[in-house]
Amino acid sequence: MMGSPRQRRRGGAMGDGTIDQDRIGGAAKLSADKFTTTTRDPDQLGRRIGDWLGTKLGKGSNPTVFEVSKPEGNGMSSETLLFSARWRDGADVVERRLVARIQPELDKVPVFSTYDLRLQFDVMALVGGATDVPVPEVMWFEGDASVIGAPFFVMSRSDGEVPPDMMPYTFPDSSWLGRASMADQDHLQRSAVETLAALHELSPETHDLDFLAPERPGETSLERHLAAWQDYLDWATHDERSPLLDECFAWLRANLPAEGIDTGPPRLSWGDARIGNMMFVDFEVAAVLDWEMASIAPPEVDLGWMTYLHRFFDDLTVDLGAEGMRQFMRPADVVATYEAASGRTVGDLRWHMAYAAMRHGVIMRRVTERSIHFGEAVRPESIDDLIIHGATLRSMLDGTYWDDVGF
């Protein structure tokens, strides 16, 4: 995780406010300064994409690709490549700033077992055409892995600021959002929640969302959604089961809310619904990114993810003795904004926040194993210590977590 030299000092949470980032990873000593996301050479990828563009743009287009780079900050699943391209369109010269989303290296401990880039491409096209939610324009999809070594798609590049995961925006003075005024933070929160409400206008009744439905058993969208994540848990832990995660998923099944009674009806679910996957200009949402977890689910699933993922970063911050952003993304405030924007009543978010934390637990185990593979973390004695927020999961199971969450 990135930070200033002052923030990288060792020694824990100190009186002068500095943070020992080594402690962020707990027993696994997950690297606070670096996560390997790919071993591919960006310049080589850029050259291959330039050659490929000529086949898409046609004879005489003579495309060139330049300013190739990889973004720093958020995301450890699909690979992202930034580049500019110039080509001829008849007598005109066209220049565009573009982004390629590339399937990750599946032989390098991938975070997920499969990556359906076609689904991501199609859902972004749907959202961009059917709503006012700002998403990048998707331009070309390429499923032939031989072109650059993996399937990919190309979309337009958006501009704006992203609340960083590394160093998390909740740490003192670590980001533009943490330094913003309370009024600007409230503005950003409201814009993010209202954008989510606008996205949830898409439902199976209004649009063809069959391509997003998990092919899993279950009477309701929530049952099928949970079944898909159970399959992910089984895949991620097949070498060594996690007693904690197994207990979490047993609790989720035993306490499943009744869809349509304790939750709203199914909607298009963004999946990775959090501010770290949004770009902002003047604290307004300018782009909604990262659609690889898109599905069909009650709206509370996205709301639970949005509120808990903030708490995940904030809990890390508070546990290290810093102030954090406890006033931000409080469930009661998020629900009030969402209900005002959507005109729909939201069910109790406790189960859905637990669902988010427990799913994120599987992801964090996989992320830590990936870091161990690249020598950026050490394997702890207990398999459950691979889960950076294991203490949170235990306190959710025993009910003590909710005392200061802000319902």
Side-chain angles (χ1 to χ4, degrees):
M1 297 180 180
M2 300 302 294
S4 69
R6 180 180 70 85
Q7 289 172 319
R8 291 197 191 105
R9 287 175 52 188
R10 308 305 184 201
M14 305 177 186
D16 65 355
T18 60
I19 300 297
D20 177 1
Q21 294 185 7
D22 282 348
R23 288 181 54 194
I24 292 174
K29 299 185 184 302
L30 191 65
S31 173
D33 296 314
K34 178 185 178 184
F35 285 115
T36 297
T37 58
T38 181
T39 60
R40 292 170 176 146
D41 177 22
D43 291 330
Q44 184 181 73
L45 290 175
R47 287 192 294 271
R48 290 184 176 182
I49 287 175
D51 293 340
W52 168 83
L53 270 177
T55 69
K56 293 296 179 182
L57 295 169
K59 187 177 180 180
S61 58
N62 299 324
T64 58
V65 166
F66 56 101
E67 295 178 345
V68 178
S69 65
K70 292 183 178 179
E72 294 183 356
N74 303 3
M76 284 174 282
S77 49
S78 295
E79 184 178 345
T80 300
L81 189 75
L82 309 179
F83 64 97
S84 295
R86 185 184 299 114
W87 65 87
R88 297 198 67 85
D89 182 7
D92 299 324
V93 175
V94 179
E95 187 168 310
R96 294 290 301 269
R97 298 167 63 247
L98 302 170
V99 179
R101 290 281 282 177
I102 307 168
Q103 179 178 285
E105 299 161 295
L106 298 180
D107 61 341
K108 302 289 196 309
V109 193
V111 176
F112 296 107
S113 58
T114 60
Y115 291 81
D116 191 342
L117 289 177
R118 182 80 232 190
L119 180 147
Q120 296 178 47
F121 185 93
D122 289 344
V123 74
M124 291 177 69
L126 171 63
V127 172
T131 75
D132 292 329
V133 174
V135 294
E137 176 191 3
V138 288
M139 302 178 70
W140 302 286
F141 173 82
E142 180 54 70
D144 183 354
S146 68
V147 174
I148 65 170
F152 67 98
F153 67 86
V154 175
M155 59 186 176
S156 64
R157 185 170 172 180
S158 300
D159 292 311
E161 295 181 288
V162 179
D165 293 351
M166 304 181 293
M167 183 73 171
Y169 63 87
T170 50
F171 278 82
D173 299 322
S174 68
S175 76
W176 59 274
L177 180 56
R179 294 186 295 269
S181 68
M182 289 283 291
D184 284 336
Q185 290 178 7
D186 288 346
H187 189 150
L188 182 144
Q189 175 179 304
R190 184 171 62 256
S191 179
V193 176
E194 289 175 348
T195 297
L196 191 59
L199 172 66
H200 289 165
E201 291 301 314
L202 299 181
S203 75
E205 284 70 40
T206 63
H207 293 81
D208 181 7
L209 304 182
D210 286 348
F211 72 102
L212 292 172
E215 295 181 1
R216 301 295 190 280
E219 295 296 321
T220 67
S221 69
L222 187 55
E223 290 175 6
R224 293 187 288 273
H225 196 274
L226 177 56
W229 279 87
Q230 177 71 58
D231 286 350
Y232 174 54
L233 169 66
D234 294 341
W235 171 80
T237 64
H238 74 281
D239 287 335
E240 187 173 3
R241 299 297 302 187
S242 165
L244 176 58
L245 291 173
D246 284 341
E247 184 179 355
C248 286
F249 274 70
W251 181 92
L252 290 168
R253 292 190 298 272
N255 293 276
L256 189 73
E259 186 172 297
I261 299 173
D262 300 322
T263 76
R267 303 280 170 172
L268 188 154
S269 177
W270 175 12
D272 204 356
R274 60 191 185 92
I275 61 172
N277 284 333
M278 291 175 162
M279 284 186 166
F280 296 88
V281 174
D282 295 331
F283 302 94
E284 286 278 342
V285 176
V288 178
L289 311 171
D290 290 357
W291 293 85
E292 61 205 349
M293 289 165 56
S295 186
I296 300 172
E300 287 85 356
V301 170
D302 276 347
L303 288 164
W305 190 267
M306 180 172 279
T307 49
Y308 174 70
L309 263 291
H310 167 70
R311 286 288 301 203
F312 170 75
F313 291 123
D314 205 48
D315 286 345
L316 291 177
T317 307
V318 173
D319 287 347
L320 287 171
E323 183 176 350
M325 295 174 63
R326 280 303 200 232
Q327 83 293 342
F328 187 71
M329 283 288 167
R330 296 173 67 253
D333 299 333
V334 169
V335 167
T337 300
Y338 184 90
E339 289 183 339
S342 67
R344 298 186 295 271
T345 300
V346 174
D348 191 329
L349 287 189
R350 285 175 177 82
W351 186 92
H352 301 280
M353 290 183 69
Y355 186 32
M358 293 169 186
R359 288 181 288 152
H360 195 55
V362 190
I363 293 172
M364 287 310 302
R365 169 169 164 168
R366 192 67 181 171
V367 166
T368 306
E369 289 180 323
R370 180 176 170 83
S371 293
I372 292 168
H373 173 81
F374 285 109
E376 298 160 357
V378 298
R379 183 168 293 279
E381 292 184 9
S382 169
I383 195 68
D384 284 337
D385 283 340
L386 291 170
I387 306 164
I388 191 173
H389 59 298
T392 291
L393 301 184
R394 294 183 183 94
S395 64
M396 285 181 166
L397 289 171
D398 67 27
T400 59
Y401 182 76
W402 309 107
D403 293 344
D404 71 338
V405 171
F407 284 100

